[in-house]
Amino acid sequence: MPARWFPRIPLAGVIAAVILLGRLPVGCCLVDGEYDGSDRVRSVYSRVKNLTSGFVNEASKKLGFCIKNREEDWNGAFDFSADMGFLKKCMEETQGDLPQRLCTAAETKFYLTSFYDDGVSSRYLRPNKNCNLTSWVSGCEPGWSCSVSQDQNISLQVFEEMPSRTLNCRPCCQGFFCPHGLTCMIPCPLGAYCPLAMLNKTTGICDPYNYQLPSGNPNHTCGGADRWADVGSSGEIFCPAGYYCPSTIQKFSCSSGHYCREGSTSEIRCYIKSQCKPNSANQNITLFGALLVVALSLLLLIIYNFSGQIITFHKRKQAKSREAAARMARKTVQARERWKKLKGIAKKHAGGLQNQLSSTFSCQSSVEQQEELKFLSQSQQSSPASTSKNREPENVIKVMHSLEEYSDSGGFSLEIEDKNFNKSMPRGEKMHTRSQIFKYAYGQIEKEKAVQQQNMNLTFSGLVSMVTAAEIRTRPMIEVVFKDLTLSLKGKQLLRCVTGKLMPGHVTAVMGPSGAGKTTFLNALAGRTTGYEMSGLVLINGKVEPIRAYKKIIGFVPQDDVVHGNLTVEENLWFSARCRLSADMPKADKVLAVERVIEYLGLQAVRDSLVGTVEKRGISGGQRKRVNVGLEMVIEPSLLILDEPTSGLDSSSSQLLLRALRREALAGVNICMVVHQPSYTLFKMFDNLILLAKGGLTVYHGAVEKVEEYFANLGISVPERVNPPDYYIDILEGITNPGTSMAVTSKELPFRWMLHNKYEIPPDMQGNLRGVDTSSGGGRINSSMDGSDGQSVADEVCGNSNAALTLKQYHMANNFSKLKDLSNRRTPGILVQYKYYMGRVMKQHLREARAQVVDFLILGLAGVCLGMLAKVRDETFGMEGYTYTVIAVSLLCKIGALRSFSLEKLQYWRERASGMSSLAYFLSKDTIDHFNTAIKPIIYLSMFYFVNNPRSSIADNYTILVALVYCVTGIGYIFAICFQPGSAQLWSALLPVVLTLIATRQKSSKLLADLCYPKWALEAFVIANAERYSGVWLVTRCGLLMRSRYNINYWSLCISILILYGVVSRFIAFLCLIVLQRK
């Protein structure tokens, strides 16, 4: 009789059954005697349990990818010691013939390997010794078995020979399955339900096993189960959902308050009994997810409010101390002013009395009387007994002096001539409490304001007395000399043959029309010439040294307002001061530096206001511009370079800014700034002027007060009521015609300047000299303050250095001295800056709580949708739902990680150029993001896990998601740093989808799949779930793991690889942060 079609069984499932079936009752013939009742059953079971063979060991080595613990898996599938009723019943049905009907090792091997012939699956069992074309007994039919003869000697460990088993054929016992094409029985594993089949007369099928009776044999009846394979091929023997099967022949309905999954051997108590009705296949634990979300939300809300309250309380306390100190300082000033007036009145009154007495005694003509009067007056001054008229002025003067000494001891004095002020003033390093620090700071500020009030002329020469009176911190001097400075970008010259000098204590304005190379000139001075082709010579304090070696004491204010919008004005300034001022400077002096900048830039009213961003309104544009300048002023630089700091400011704000900069110049700061269309008042506040024409050529470089004289000598006079800088720029722009008799055009002005200073004109520019009078050298003026002397100084310095310092040597120094710090300022180390960055990033995250809440809501919504749409199916151990989970979590967490770096690139580039630690910045960002790494998995699982309720534990799922979020966050860092925001979001959306498709495609290269992080996350999820499927599920487990190329022992390895991906991606992101620069 031809063999019945047999469903395809996966190779993994077949091989998995080998090891299991090799350790369960596979044939043990009782030939030593007969046993009755339970003693005989125990004897059969003990002999079967102790059976071991080389077949089992060999099979276990091959199936290590799906068997984690042989003993545990065997006990979960074939430990029938709790209920051996099916053995006893079968012994009764077969009248003690059970041992002769069990499959041997050879038959079991034949059953498992017959489905695959040379790697090709077969739907039929191959013919064998007992079932073939010439011998087909009833036991060959599905659900039937036969026995061997009593005198036949059977060796259970022999693989080669199959015993002859054709006697006494009958239906398979309950609790066993008899394969089609074999005549032996194999016990059904725990979790299976293997009753006798019943004939369905309508369909002619033996239910529930779906095999037909053989035709032409009316005495043949339905037998037992016919196969055990994966759930897709033999799902009828699995204990159905909503029921539990304590043995393979018993099935009970799940009671109320319990639930029973498919293949269960016992019922599981529900957390909420009312949620589980009778015959429940799963429990509804969505309520626990909702409660977890509520608890987590409350916890986050408490943390947010508590942190906000701490910050607010600290600010209020600090503001009270600051306001009290400011009030005390103002009262001290007012008291000093009153006593100063009283002193003047007393002096005047005393002078009047003295004049009156002198006029009275002068009326006497006797010389003796005059001498007597003189002697008398001297004796009266030395004697305590004096007249009332003399006593009055003396007492007043004594009281005044005593009050002066008292007020001086308090740390404040308005007297410029008071040389004891520095001695009586308490030093910053002696300050400890907040009140003392603010008293010290505001005392100094009020003193400086008072001295400034006495010196209204804020020119450099007029403020010499202010320098001697106010205790201004001296700073290292930086003098910059440049000769033939030329910069070009991609063959286009942006700056050409610029020669000059920037001196400490001077404020130099750089002006010119659009396209004159003003910003390029500042970038060249600041050493920000990446990507440019630079030639010429730059000397720092007369030496060939790279300007970047002084970056710690150089302030560069960019044209754009690069500040942190989610920080307050004071927080921006205070962070810059703490990270960039000397680590040895006392805190009181740092506070003084911050308070001084806030005071002189007029930011007191908005010091506690957020700067603001594009989405959130903050301070005004002018105030934002002043904060941008204050970030560099607060570090007490020696060289301050500003790119259009007055753009967007009104006249009063511009003057306020220039006054603050002039005060910086008093401390020896070298200030150079680009300005556009300054007012005449503002223009006169500069010391020097660099006027550039289009193409980066110099038109004038010298004192501001001599610029009109220079152009007048060229025949260019400024009309009345016209602002000189506007007029000169209009000429250079070509808007206004000079209209001079000397016929000087705007294109000739750079050559006039070169001829005026006797500079060498480049050969390629000599063709433009036609029509230019080269004999007179232009209009040279003889003054010590004109531009020629400034240039001659530069020529002298550069000329003297040319013998020893060539252009090649300069570029060598510029390239090989990058790591050498010449600023002599020891700023805080990496760990200290890391602490400062941590505080800043934490405040930023607290103020961006709305964005975090949106991220959490989207992630929770994704968990609900995927939990409801992608239910965990037992056939695949939830692989579909976990695949969508990997994609969704990867996408959302990557996009969330983009905000960490993509929104602050400009701020980072500015801080990095100033010498702040990139490592501290990166680590602080990553450390704060660990909060999301821990919270986001909880948000997602509170929806997905409690809606889906997979068999794996929530702890395993949480661990996997934490590793996954850590991995994808590092990848998000790379995208945020390397790409623009739009491109980074596109990569973040596409990459997880593409990598997941590669990882789950069975035809993909294993090496390629192993390089995809979704493969390891998905494998960890499947393994965590597969471990909970035992007993009847073992064949399904091995089949799925083999098709997916997973290993049940690799769960820890998967977690480790995900974490390794996160570490490596963060390392790559940090390298990109350092290497990639702004174009």
Side-chain angles (χ1 to χ4, degrees):
M1 181 180 292
R4 183 176 72 90
W5 174 85
F6 200 92
R8 176 180 178 179
I9 300 178
L11 177 61
V14 174
I15 299 178
V18 175
I19 182 172
L20 297 170
L21 296 177
R23 297 186 62 86
L24 52 88
V26 286
C28 180
C29 298
L30 297 179
V31 294
D32 297 333
E34 297 295 333
Y35 295 86
D36 295 329
S38 59
D39 292 337
R40 189 173 183 182
V41 172
R42 293 191 188 96
S43 176
V44 172
Y45 179 71
S46 63
R47 292 189 181 188
V48 172
K49 185 177 180 181
N50 295 328
L51 177 64
T52 57
S53 65
F55 174 79
V56 175
N57 294 329
E58 181 181 357
S60 63
K61 293 178 182 178
K62 295 181 179 180
L63 299 175
F65 67 92
C66 65
I67 303 299
K68 190 172 184 179
N69 188 320
R70 287 193 304 172
E71 296 296 330
E72 183 178 349
D73 289 334
W74 179 82
N75 291 331
F78 300 104
D79 186 5
F80 304 115
S81 59
D83 188 355
M84 294 184 290
F86 77 101
L87 293 177
K88 181 179 180 181
K89 191 171 183 180
C90 187
M91 291 284 287
E92 293 175 353
E93 292 176 357
T94 60
Q95 297 179 356
D97 198 28
L98 172 61
Q100 284 79 11
R101 294 178 179 273
L102 294 176
C103 291
T104 63
E107 292 171 306
T108 304
K109 181 179 179 181
F110 175 80
Y111 168 73
L112 298 175
T113 57
S114 293
F115 300 108
Y116 289 86
D117 186 11
D118 296 330
V120 180
S121 68
S122 174
R123 296 186 176 183
Y124 302 95
L125 287 176
R126 292 173 298 174
N128 55 75
K129 183 177 181 179
N130 298 313
C131 301
N132 50 60
L133 293 178
T134 59
S135 174
W136 190 270
V137 295
S138 298
C140 296
E141 297 294 333
W144 277 57
S145 66
C146 300
S147 177
V148 297
S149 61
Q150 294 290 339
D151 57 352
Q152 186 175 357
N153 187 13
I154 299 176
S155 177
L156 301 179
Q157 297 182 0
V158 175
F159 288 83
E160 291 78 11
E161 185 178 358
M162 184 182 300
S164 176
R165 194 189 302 271
T166 58
L167 303 177
N168 194 18
C169 297
R170 64 177 309 279
C172 194
C173 294
Q174 297 184 66
F176 292 84
F177 71 94
C178 299
H180 180 206
L182 286 178
T183 58
C184 58
M185 297 191 309
I186 303 175
C188 292
L190 292 175
Y193 179 58
C194 301
L196 290 176
M198 301 294 294
L199 179 63
N200 188 330
K201 295 182 179 180
T202 303
T203 60
I205 300 297
C206 294
D207 291 336
Y209 305 115
N210 299 323
Y211 59 81
Q212 294 180 343
L213 296 177
S215 59
N217 191 353
N219 295 327
H220 195 89
T221 60
C222 292
D226 64 332
R227 64 187 181 276
W228 170 46
D230 62 287
V231 67
S233 302
S234 59
E236 60 273 7
I237 74 168
F238 283 67
C239 189
Y243 297 84
Y244 69 98
C245 303
S247 69
T248 55
I249 60 174
Q250 294 177 319
K251 183 178 73 171
F252 300 99
S253 298
C254 238
S255 60
S256 177
H258 298 79
Y259 70 96
C260 302
R261 300 179 188 268
E262 185 177 8
S264 297
T265 59
S266 62
E267 55 184 0
I268 306 173
R269 183 182 298 274
C270 295
Y271 295 125
I272 302 178
K273 292 185 178 181
S274 60
Q275 295 292 332
C276 295
K277 298 179 181 180
N279 297 103
S280 295
N282 205 342
Q283 65 173 334
N284 186 358
I285 56 175
T286 308
L287 179 62
F288 290 96
L291 292 177
L292 180 60
V293 172
V294 172
L296 184 61
S297 301
L298 290 176
L299 178 61
L300 295 177
L301 187 62
I302 291 173
I303 294 175
Y304 174 76
N305 289 332
F306 183 71
S307 302
Q309 290 294 332
I310 291 178
I311 295 175
T312 304
F313 175 77
H314 178 73
K315 284 188 174 181
R316 289 177 180 176
K317 190 174 180 180
Q318 188 175 11
K320 289 181 179 179
S321 300
R322 184 175 59 248
E323 292 173 359
R327 284 195 304 268
M328 182 175 293
R330 286 192 294 267
K331 288 180 180 179
T332 305
V333 171
Q334 294 172 1
R336 289 292 301 166
E337 287 293 331
R338 286 196 298 268
W339 284 114
K340 184 178 179 181
K341 293 179 180 179
L342 180 60
K343 178 181 177 181
I345 295 173
K347 285 183 178 181
K348 184 177 180 181
H349 183 61
L353 291 177
Q354 185 176 2
N355 293 334
Q356 183 179 359
L357 291 175
S358 299
S359 61
T360 301
F361 286 105
S362 63
C363 296
Q364 300 179 7
S365 60
S366 174
V367 178
E368 291 83 7
Q369 291 180 350
Q370 292 179 2
E371 291 178 355
E372 182 180 358
L373 181 60
K374 183 177 180 181
F375 175 78
L376 180 61
S377 63
Q378 290 178 356
S379 63
Q380 288 178 350
Q381 291 178 5
S382 61
S383 174
S386 60
T387 61
S388 60
K389 292 183 179 181
N390 292 334
R391 188 182 301 115
E392 181 179 358
E394 289 177 1
N395 292 336
V396 172
I397 293 173
K398 288 181 179 180
V399 171
M400 287 168 43
H401 281 297
S402 64
L403 288 173
E404 281 184 15
E405 293 174 358
Y406 174 77
S407 62
D408 288 344
S409 64
F412 187 81
S413 175
L414 282 175
E415 293 295 331
I416 298 178
E417 297 83 359
D418 187 5
K419 304 302 181 182
N420 295 325
F421 171 79
N422 295 336
K423 297 180 180 180
S424 60
M425 172 67 70
R427 302 302 304 163
E429 57 268 16
K430 298 180 182 179
M431 304 296 175
H432 300 288
T433 65
R434 184 183 293 107
S435 300
Q436 290 176 338
I437 291 175
F438 281 122
K439 286 179 182 178
Y440 166 74
Y442 278 95
Q444 288 284 71
I445 292 173
E446 291 296 335
K447 176 197 169 190
E448 294 169 2
K449 290 170 63 177
V451 174
Q452 181 179 350
Q453 189 67 24
Q454 295 180 4
N455 297 271
M456 297 302 296
N457 183 14
L458 289 180
T459 61
F460 182 76
S461 58
L463 288 176
V464 175
S465 59
M466 182 177 175
V467 180
T468 59
E471 186 185 358
I472 301 176
R473 186 179 302 275
T474 58
R475 307 175 193 177
M477 301 294 181
I478 292 183
E479 181 185 71
V480 182
V481 177
F482 42 93
K483 179 181 175 68
D484 294 334
L485 190 61
T486 301
L487 267 77
S488 59
L489 181 63
K490 296 181 180 180
K492 181 180 179 181
Q493 289 187 343
L494 306 177
L495 208 63
R496 188 72 184 275
C497 300
V498 178
T499 300
K501 179 180 182 181
L502 300 179
M503 294 177 290
H506 287 237
V507 181
T508 302
V510 181
M511 299 176 60
S514 299
K518 302 181 294 297
T519 301
T520 304
F521 173 69
L522 295 187
N523 290 332
L525 293 181
R528 302 168 184 239
T529 56
T530 303
Y532 292 91
E533 295 180 6
M534 180 178 174
S535 62
L537 191 62
V538 178
L539 302 181
I540 308 298
N541 294 331
K543 300 179 181 179
V544 179
E545 294 173 343
I547 192 68
R548 290 189 297 272
Y550 295 90
K551 60 184 178 182
K552 292 184 179 180
I553 56 175
I554 294 178
F556 185 89
V557 180
Q559 183 175 353
D560 299 325
D561 301 331
V562 183
V563 293
H564 291 278
N566 46 18
L567 296 178
T568 64
V569 172
E570 183 180 4
E571 288 169 351
N572 273 286
L573 298 176
W574 181 235
F575 178 81
S576 181
R578 288 201 297 181
C579 290
R580 298 177 62 184
L581 286 174
S582 176
D584 301 326
M585 180 183 290
K587 182 179 179 180
D589 291 330
K590 293 181 181 180
V591 173
L592 173 61
V594 174
E595 296 297 330
R596 180 186 288 136
V597 170
I598 292 176
E599 184 70 27
Y600 285 104
L601 290 180
L603 299 173
Q604 280 286 6
V606 295
R607 65 181 304 152
D608 293 324
S609 301
L610 293 177
V611 174
T613 58
V614 177
E615 297 84 5
K616 188 174 182 180
R617 176 71 177 174
I619 59 179
S620 66
Q623 292 167 340
R624 186 184 181 95
K625 177 71 70 175
R626 281 177 274 165
V627 174
N628 187 34
V629 177
L631 290 177
E632 304 302 326
M633 291 178 57
V634 79
I635 69 166
E636 298 186 350
S638 297
L639 174 62
L640 183 57
I641 301 173
L642 305 96
D643 192 3
E644 300 185 21
T646 59
S647 298
L649 299 181
D650 54 22
S651 179
S652 60
S653 298
S654 298
Q655 290 190 28
L656 180 66
L657 177 61
L658 260 294
R659 289 176 183 273
L661 293 176
R662 290 215 54 86
R663 191 200 169 280
E664 291 292 303
L666 294 177
V669 181
N670 192 344
I671 300 176
C672 181
M673 57 188 295
V674 172
V675 289
H676 273 300
Q677 297 180 335
S679 64
Y680 186 74
T681 304
L682 204 66
F683 179 67
K684 285 299 183 180
M685 295 179 68
F686 295 107
D687 295 312
N688 298 319
L689 171 66
I690 298 178
L691 191 58
L692 299 176
K694 288 187 176 181
L697 294 170
T698 306
V699 174
Y700 177 81
H701 180 16
V704 169
E705 56 192 28
K706 297 298 180 181
V707 61
E708 295 185 49
E709 182 181 354
Y710 169 76
F711 282 102
N713 290 333
L714 294 177
I716 302 176
S717 299
V718 181
E720 294 184 1
R721 298 185 179 181
V722 175
N723 191 14
D726 293 343
Y727 184 70
Y728 298 143
I729 292 176
D730 289 343
I731 292 176
L732 295 175
E733 192 72 49
I735 299 175
T736 302
N737 188 359
T740 64
S741 59
M742 300 179 63
V744 177
T745 63
S746 59
K747 295 183 179 180
E748 295 177 2
L749 291 177
F751 303 102
R752 292 281 187 176
W753 177 255
M754 293 181 182
L755 296 174
H756 172 75
N757 293 278
K758 299 180 180 180
Y759 291 158
E760 182 180 354
I761 300 177
D764 59 333
M765 298 175 61
Q766 291 180 359
N768 298 325
L769 293 177
R770 297 176 182 177
V772 179
D773 185 10
T774 60
S775 60
S776 61
R780 186 176 181 88
I781 55 179
N782 296 320
S783 174
S784 60
M785 296 299 296
D786 69 347
S788 61
D789 274 8
Q791 302 310 314
S792 63
V793 173
D795 291 340
E796 181 180 357
V797 174
C798 294
N800 294 336
S801 62
N802 282 340
L805 304 175
T806 62
L807 181 61
K808 183 177 180 180
Q809 289 174 332
Y810 166 74
H811 287 296
M812 290 180 62
N814 195 48
N815 292 329
F816 294 102
S817 300
K818 295 179 180 179
L819 300 179
K820 186 177 180 181
D821 184 19
L822 303 177
S823 60
N824 295 325
R825 174 181 288 187
R826 188 180 66 86
T827 55
I830 294 178
L831 293 180
V832 178
Q833 290 190 36
Y834 171 73
K835 182 182 72 173
Y836 296 154
Y837 272 115
M838 282 283 292
R840 188 182 76 176
V841 177
M842 190 177 299
K843 289 180 182 178
Q844 291 175 323
H845 275 249
L846 288 175
R847 288 166 183 161
E848 294 174 355
R850 182 175 298 180
Q852 296 290 331
V853 170
V854 171
D855 285 350
F856 293 159
L857 289 178
I858 295 176
L859 198 62
L861 182 61
V864 172
C865 295
L866 294 180
M868 296 176 64
L869 298 177
K871 288 290 186 180
V872 174
R873 297 191 302 117
D874 291 328
E875 294 83 353
T876 60
F877 300 161
M879 181 176 288
E880 294 88 352
Y882 287 128
T883 302
Y884 298 140
T885 293
V886 172
I887 295 176
V889 173
S890 298
L891 190 151
L892 296 176
C893 292
K894 281 180 185 177
I895 293 179
L898 296 180
R899 290 196 299 268
S900 297
F901 291 95
S902 61
L903 300 180
E904 292 187 356
K905 285 185 177 180
L906 296 178
Q907 288 85 342
Y908 164 73
W909 284 328
R910 179 176 183 175
E911 292 170 354
R912 174 190 171 187
S914 64
M916 296 173 65
S917 173
S918 298
L919 181 60
Y921 171 77
F922 183 86
L923 291 179
S924 65
K925 287 282 189 179
D926 186 43
T927 302
I928 297 300
D929 278 346
H930 288 343
F931 174 80
N932 289 331
T933 304
I935 295 298
K936 286 185 176 180
I938 299 178
I939 297 293
Y940 182 82
L941 287 177
S942 63
M943 297 291 101
F944 178 82
Y945 184 88
F946 290 97
V947 170
N948 229 332
N949 192 19
R951 298 198 183 192
S952 56
S953 67
I954 190 172
D956 289 341
N957 283 265
Y958 176 75
T959 303
I960 299 168
L961 278 182
V962 167
L964 176 62
V965 174
Y966 181 78
C967 170
V968 299
T969 301
I971 299 176
Y973 290 166
I974 298 177
F975 294 157
I977 294 171
C978 298
F979 302 106
Q980 295 298 324
S983 301
Q985 292 177 4
L986 181 62
W987 275 102
S988 299
L990 289 179
L991 187 67
V993 177
V994 174
L995 293 183
T996 303
L997 290 177
I998 295 175
T1000 56
R1001 185 177 176 85
Q1002 296 182 5
K1003 296 182 179 180
S1004 300
S1005 170
K1006 187 176 185 302
L1007 177 61
L1008 183 61
D1010 289 343
L1011 295 177
C1012 302
Y1013 75 86
K1015 183 260 184 185
W1016 300 103
L1018 187 58
E1019 181 173 356
F1021 277 122
V1022 173
I1023 290 173
N1025 222 20
E1027 289 179 351
R1028 305 303 177 100
Y1029 287 83
S1030 59
V1032 70
W1033 291 100
L1034 288 176
V1035 175
T1036 306
R1037 178 210 286 183
C1038 290
L1040 179 66
L1041 293 181
M1042 189 194 71
R1043 289 194 304 270
S1044 303
R1045 295 178 293 189
Y1046 295 161
N1047 193 312
I1048 201 169
N1049 300 297
Y1050 285 177
W1051 188 84
S1052 299
L1053 178 63
C1054 294
I1055 302 300
S1056 301
I1057 290 179
L1058 288 175
I1059 295 176
L1060 180 62
Y1061 266 102
V1063 173
V1064 172
S1065 60
R1066 280 163 172 78
F1067 179 74
I1068 296 174
F1070 179 68
L1071 290 181
C1072 295
L1073 189 69
I1074 295 176
V1075 174
L1076 298 181
Q1077 298 181 4
R1078 183 180 183 181
K1079 294 183 180 179

